[in-house]
Amino acid sequence: MSVMVHGANAAEAGLRILAFGDSLTQGYGVPPGMDFPNVLERALKAKGVTATIINAGVSGDTSAGGLARLDWSLGDAKTQPDAAIVELGANDGLRGLAPAEMEKNLDAILARLKARNIPVLLAGMKGPRNFGSAYAAEYDAVFPRLAKKYGVLFYPFFLEGVALDRALVQPDGLHPNPKGVDAIVSRIAPLAIELVHQAQGKRAQPGQSAR
């Protein structure tokens, strides 16, 4: 028997999605409740999909920082989330860190999530252009390559339609303001709903357990 994602059935199932990222997930500079996880949770609820989005964003985190805290964030087999949204890499780019190292870290994160049978939505980033076209090209290629390798849901650019739009970003020109968060959520919500379906499908499969 399959588990539905709509209405009371989803609420009873207690679906939990880990939003694992940096300041873009954490909600840097926006009022309480206006961060990406909260806004996404409300958007899904408005579409009849009930799920708890756990804010596991840490401002300033690089891919290495995310990898270092991944196991702690996931908990044990009984407490681990049903699915995860992975949004990391922006700080690697801002610091000019080697894309190959970023890929190694993100690869390890996705491998651990796969080993635990946790469906993933990977959010990509675009490399800064001030380090040259070769760096940007190497950086940009990491995310679609990993998404293909692990067969995960993929949103190519987390800040799509928001980056460089002064009406949607904070004065620092980097972080989305509340309107920018709304814009991100409106674009990524369809994939988040698909992630919910994947997570419910995993639950419905007998004999599935975390490793």
Side-chain angles (χ1 to χ4, degrees), residues 4 12 28 58 61 64 87 105 118 122 129-130 142 161 186:
M4 301 297 291
E12 291 169 3
Y28 176 89
V58 173
D61 238 4
E87 175 275 307
N105 295 328
I118 297 173
L122 176 64
R129 272 41 190 171
N130 55 306
V142 167
S186 68

Side-chain angles (χ1 to χ4, degrees), residues 14-22 24-26 35-38 40-41 44 50-58 61 65-76 79-88 109-110 112-114 116-123 153 158 188 191-192 195-196 199 203:
L15 187 73
R16 298 165 66 248
I17 299 175
L18 186 75
F20 191 70
D22 49 38
L24 298 174
T25 292
Q26 181 261 333
D35 53 90
F36 170 73
N38 269 293
L40 178 59
E41 183 175 314
L44 294 182
T50 304
T52 298
I53 313 295
I54 303 164
N55 191 333
V58 173
D61 238 4
L67 176 59
R69 65 183 173 89
L70 178 63
D71 289 341
W72 178 86
S73 299
L74 292 175
D76 59 26
T79 61
Q80 73 176 30
D82 298 286
I85 299 171
V86 176
E87 175 275 307
L88 284 166
I109 289 172
L110 293 174
R112 291 187 191 181
L113 291 168
K114 182 178 181 179
R116 289 199 181 210
N117 202 34
I118 297 173
V120 172
L121 167 54
L122 176 64
L153 294 172
F158 188 74
I188 205 171
L191 281 174
L195 182 68
V196 169
R203 278 192 170 189

Side-chain angles (χ1 to χ4, degrees), residues 129-151:
R129 272 41 190 171
N130 55 306
F131 294 120
S133 59
Y135 180 91
E138 185 181 358
Y139 180 104
D140 292 354
V142 167
F143 299 94
R145 185 160 56 234
L146 287 176
K148 182 178 181 180
K149 177 179 178 179
Y150 286 95

